[in-house]
Amino acid sequence: MVDLKDLRTDPAKYSKGAANKNVKVDIDAILDLDRRQRESQQAFEVLKAEQNVASQAIGKLKDPAEKKAAAAKVGELKGRVQAAEEAAKQLTGELGGLLLHVPQPADDDVPVGRDASENVVAKHWGDKRQFDFKPKSHIELAEKLGIVNFAAGVRQAGSRSYMLVGALAELHQAILRYAVETMTRVNGFTQVSVPVLVR
């Protein structure tokens, strides 16, 4: 997902980047939704703070009639707070969905082409191996070996997602373990396991 703060600062960069990658996105609509989401979130926070102040004030009141009126006000605020929170959550979800469609802009030195067929090879290394048969792609090989499940990944997480299975999942874990060991043993980092729930 793109950096939303950077998108706000330089929307033209993202419009141009999307156009260069032949991706249709409405950056202005995304920025408008972002503005409405921030306003909605701010409105929720203001109402929540007002509710907290009103709730705390009830305990200090002595007169039963005043307490009843204050409790009624808190009840009315509670409904407004819930509505504001739901509105903010809905806009946050919509914004997140739109941002997933905004591609990262390419570096300025990347040539622009109509599609992948116009990609430019920067350099070759070694001799290209010649086969006496048609080589399979990594996707075909992975599916044949049963070490990846594209359909399940797409069902769970959406387009271009996949699940690593069996030996490939083990290899993935081994690479992660190697990276951690390199950071700790070679580079002197210390691992920390933090609480899942935070304030």
Side-chain angles (χ1 to χ4, degrees):
M1 188 180 290
V2 298
D3 181 350
L4 185 52
K5 288 181 181 177
D6 191 48
L7 178 63
R8 290 179 197 137
T9 304
D10 193 358
K13 176 174 81 172
Y14 289 87
S15 294
K16 181 182 175 186
N20 287 347
K21 292 186 176 184
N22 298 314
V23 176
K24 292 184 179 179
V25 291
D26 189 343
I27 299 297
D28 290 334
I30 291 172
L31 290 174
D32 180 61
L33 183 59
D34 171 52
R35 177 190 53 76
R36 289 189 289 125
Q37 186 278 331
R38 284 183 287 140
E39 288 172 355
S40 181
Q41 183 67 31
Q42 188 176 20
F44 159 67
E45 289 170 4
V46 167
L47 283 171
K48 184 68 176 171
E50 188 179 341
Q51 181 189 25
N52 290 341
V53 169
S55 296
Q56 291 169 1
I58 292 175
K60 298 175 183 176
L61 296 172
K62 304 291 184 195
D63 182 39
E66 287 181 356
K67 274 193 173 186
K68 186 176 181 182
K73 180 182 177 183
V74 169
E76 184 262 337
L77 278 171
K78 183 178 180 182
R80 290 171 60 196
V81 166
Q82 287 176 342
E85 184 178 23
E86 284 304 313
K89 281 182 179 176
Q90 182 177 347
L91 289 172
T92 299
E94 290 176 25
L95 180 61
L98 289 178
L99 287 172
L100 288 173
H101 295 284
V102 180
Q104 291 286 354
D107 287 338
D108 291 334
D109 61 346
V110 175
V112 178
R114 287 174 300 174
D115 53 36
S117 67
E118 294 187 358
N119 287 349
V120 177
V121 177
K123 66 178 178 179
H124 289 279
W125 183 85
D127 297 321
K128 187 174 180 181
R129 187 171 171 189
Q130 299 299 318
F131 297 95
D132 57 358
F133 58 89
K134 183 184 177 188
K136 289 183 168 56
S137 70
H138 66 285
I139 294 174
E140 293 170 313
L141 290 171
E143 287 180 330
K144 186 173 181 180
L145 293 169
I147 57 176
V148 69
N149 189 331
F150 292 101
V154 169
R155 277 197 310 273
Q156 185 172 11
S159 175
R160 294 189 172 193
S161 299
Y162 53 86
M163 289 184 178
L164 306 181
V165 180
L168 194 53
E170 291 176 27
L171 176 61
H172 181 242
Q173 290 299 316
I175 292 169
L176 293 176
R177 185 69 206 159
Y178 172 75
V180 168
E181 288 183 2
T182 300
M183 288 187 290
T184 54
R185 295 182 185 169
V186 177
N187 297 322
F189 284 80
T190 300
Q191 286 192 66
V192 177
S193 187
V194 300
V196 175
L197 299 176
V198 296
R199 295 185 197 279

